[in-house]
């Protein structure tokens, strides 16, 4: 069976900077995969390549065996790759319902109201359908963003720093939510909160200077001396 996502030799340069430098990466179906690394390691650029927000300069990306390297972002969404951004990307003047409905309509000709209700129920926002998105707490806006991603019925949900700004109680709820999504949805989690990554991820990929430093289980990553020196033992960093 083909991996959910398989990337080979991905490279992306900005001027003289090799932000992503020959990265090989496999995302197995139904897993929660953590992506970590120091500030400037290339994490956000890498997931932007996977989602189609930034074009690949060399290398290939396959989704369940299908080559999607040249597909633009909106076509990858239709294929099942949803990416929620590092900063909340809700429409602040629209209602919670309308935010999720826009995502649902873009993906399916089915019953939009049912799709919205299902997505909001999964993230615990049932009852807030008519609230204006911009008036929600920061934590609720992050959950709304996840609901918008889920309304796309994705095969893969890429979450970029989803717990940034959340209170500890909200983080516990977020972890419960993510666990409830697998194995039906495969999760790629870019996260600077090591407790969250180590608690949730089945496997972790560590990037450093645009290259893969290590891949392994949370236990293997914790014990990896190169990772300790480059990241875990150093300054806490995101990006």
């Amino acid at each position: 069976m083909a991996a959910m996502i398989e990337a080979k030799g991905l490279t992306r340069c900005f001027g003289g900077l090799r932000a992503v430098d020959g990265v090989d990466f496999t995302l197995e179906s139904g897993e929660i995969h953590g992506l970590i690394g120091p500030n400037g390691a290339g994490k956000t650029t890498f997931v932007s390549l996977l989602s189609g927000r930034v074009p690949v300069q060399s290398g290939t990306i396959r989704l369940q065996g299908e080559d999607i390297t040249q597909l633009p972002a909106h076509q990858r969404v239709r294929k099942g790759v949803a990416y929620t951004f590092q900063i909340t990307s809700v429409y602040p003047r629209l209602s919670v319902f309308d935010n999720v409905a826009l995502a649902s309509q873009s993906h399916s000709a089915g019953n939009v109201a049912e799709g919205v209700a299902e997505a909001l129920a999964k993230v615990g926002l049932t009852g807030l359908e008519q609230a204006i998105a911009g008036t929600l707490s920061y934590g609720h806006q992050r959950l709304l963003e996840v609901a918008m991603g889920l309304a796309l019925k994705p095969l893969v949900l890429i979450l970029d720093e989803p717990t940034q700004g959340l209170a500890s109680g909200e983080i516990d709820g977020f972890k419960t939510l993510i666990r409830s999504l697998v194995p039906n949805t495969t999760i790629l989690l870019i996260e600077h909160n090591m407790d969250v990554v180590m608690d949730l991820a089945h496997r972790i990929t560590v990037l450093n200077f645009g290259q893969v430093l290590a891949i392994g289980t949370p236990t293997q990553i914790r014990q990896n001396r190169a990772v300790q020196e480059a990241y875990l033992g150093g300054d806490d960093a995101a990006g």
Side-chain angles (χ1 to χ4, degrees):
M1 182 177 174
M4 182 59 72
I5 288 180
E6 185 176 22
K8 293 279 192 184
L10 288 193
T11 299
R12 177 71 206 197
C13 301
F14 297 101
L17 173 67
R18 296 177 76 85
V20 175
D21 186 6
V23 168
D24 293 342
F25 174 79
T26 301
L27 182 64
E28 298 295 347
S29 179
E31 77 170 332
I32 301 172
H33 195 118
L35 182 66
I36 66 173
N39 198 21
K43 301 185 298 294
T44 295
T45 301
F46 173 68
V47 295
S48 295
L49 296 177
L50 294 184
S51 66
R53 286 170 51 81
V54 173
V56 171
Q57 285 175 319
S58 64
T60 59
I61 304 168
R62 294 185 179 275
L63 177 68
Q64 293 185 318
E66 178 186 355
D67 191 335
I68 62 168
T69 312
Q70 302 303 322
L71 292 185
H74 69 276
Q75 289 188 21
R76 295 192 202 189
V77 168
R78 292 199 186 108
K79 295 281 187 183
V81 180
Y83 177 24
T84 68
F85 309 128
Q86 193 168 6
I87 312 287
T88 51
S89 58
V90 302
Y91 299 97
R93 296 182 182 179
L94 297 181
S95 70
V96 167
F97 180 93
D98 287 345
N99 267 270
V100 182
L102 283 170
S104 182
Q105 284 175 331
S106 72
H107 179 75
S108 172
N111 188 313
V112 171
E114 284 183 8
V116 171
E118 181 182 347
L120 290 177
K122 282 182 178 176
V123 303
L125 294 181
T126 300
L128 293 176
E129 289 84 356
Q130 299 312 312
I132 300 303
T135 68
L136 297 178
S137 70
Y138 186 80
H140 279 169
Q141 288 189 40
R142 299 312 299 254
L143 291 175
L144 174 57
E145 190 186 29
V146 175
M148 293 165 68
L150 292 175
L152 298 167
K153 305 288 187 186
L155 297 171
V156 177
L157 183 60
I158 302 173
L159 298 168
D160 197 345
E161 305 287 2
T163 68
Q164 183 176 300
L166 297 189
S168 57
E170 292 173 323
I171 289 175
D172 288 340
F174 171 80
K175 290 193 291 188
T176 299
L177 164 63
I178 295 305
R179 289 192 186 101
S180 76
L181 299 178
V182 295
N184 293 332
T185 306
T186 301
I187 305 291
L188 177 56
L189 179 68
I190 302 91
E191 182 56 71
H192 72 281
N193 185 322
M194 284 299 98
D195 289 338
V196 171
V197 174
M198 293 297 178
D199 196 21
L200 280 178
H202 302 124
R203 290 192 302 145
I204 297 170
T205 293
V206 185
L207 290 183
N208 195 32
F209 297 112
Q211 298 180 331
V212 174
L213 180 63
I215 302 171
T217 65
T219 299
Q220 290 169 334
I221 295 301
R222 272 198 194 97
Q223 296 172 348
N224 186 301
R225 185 157 294 177
V227 175
Q228 291 172 1
E229 291 174 359
Y231 184 44
L232 295 180
D235 294 333
D236 183 26

